Amino acid sequence: MNPSDTETRTPEELPAVVTRLFKGVLYAENDEKIWQSLLGLTPHVRDYVSVLGLDLILDESEGYAFLRSREDPDGTLPRLIARRTLTFNVSLLLALLRGRMLEFDTNSSEVRLIMTEQEIADMVSVFLPETSNEAKVLDRLGTDIKKVVELGFLRRLKGQADTYEVARILKAYVDAQWLEEFDARLADYRASLAGEEK
């Protein structure tokens, strides 16, 4: 084996790290071995996924990493990372959870934001139209919370019914631009609600 072969050889752990990232968000606390490999191979991972039109989003301080499709204005690249269309109610829940996390980070020295289903319901109820069928609203909220859990932005706490940790990765997905766009949609929503009440 000549010296140039060792320089261009793929690091042994690279396939496992990249494959894990293709499966979804990698959390340091859930898979420490792969996380440590990722930290050691970050430049290799970035180079590898960039060939596929992807960016590695890595936040060491918060302990998560994921792959994101690059902007492709021409639409020439096929999407490897699925884009999910969210309902208005799920978008509202994400925006409110992000706002709550911002408030929590500003006012608390704790690291984990823990919320009960009732606290989430109280937070969302301010934005929902008044209705006499509260059970239907609660069922809908339960469905929305389940969707946010599936998306990985809420995690159920083991042994504590209806209690969730708000995943810190929410900060990476719900950024200032996303919130600005959602605020415009929320203003339209409020205007349409006001129109219905007249």
Side-chain angles (χ1 to χ4, degrees), residues 95-115:
L96 293 173
L97 287 171
R98 180 64 181 96
R100 181 70 181 88
M101 180 173 275
L102 181 65
E103 180 184 309
F104 176 79
D105 287 345
T106 304
N107 300 324
S108 174
S109 60
E110 296 291 319
V111 177
R112 298 170 67 200
L113 171 56
I114 308 296
M115 296 184 74

Side-chain angles (χ1 to χ4, degrees), residues 12-84:
E12 197 175 299
E13 302 93 357
L14 185 62
V17 172
V18 172
T19 302
R20 176 60 191 79
L21 286 166
F22 269 108
K23 290 183 174 183
V25 178
L26 171 63
Y27 291 100
E29 63 191 36
N30 294 350
D31 198 337
E32 196 165 325
K33 184 179 178 196
I34 294 287
W35 179 258
Q36 290 306 318
S37 294
L38 170 62
L39 295 181
L41 295 171
T42 300
H44 294 285
V45 174
R46 285 190 198 285
D47 290 345
Y48 187 87
V49 300
S50 72
V51 172
L52 302 170
L54 302 172
D55 289 320
L56 170 66
I57 310 301
L58 171 65
D59 191 325
E60 285 187 60
S61 62
E62 299 288 0
Y64 62 77
F66 61 95
L67 299 175
R68 178 181 282 167
S69 293
R70 271 207 203 112
E71 291 298 318
D72 182 25
D74 303 331
T76 55
L77 289 173
R79 291 192 69 82
L80 291 174
I81 306 297
R83 185 174 254 169
R84 295 181 175 107

Side-chain angles (χ1 to χ4, degrees), residues 89 128 131-144:
N89 286 351
L128 299 177
T131 177
S132 58
N133 193 345
E134 193 173 321
K136 185 177 177 184
V137 171
L138 290 175
D139 281 349
R140 177 61 195 245
L141 179 62
T143 302
D144 295 338

Side-chain angles (χ1 to χ4, degrees), residues 71 173-183:
E71 291 298 318
Y173 279 91
V174 181
D175 57 14
Q177 180 183 348
W178 192 95
L179 285 172
E180 190 176 303
E181 291 167 5
F182 186 75
D183 281 345

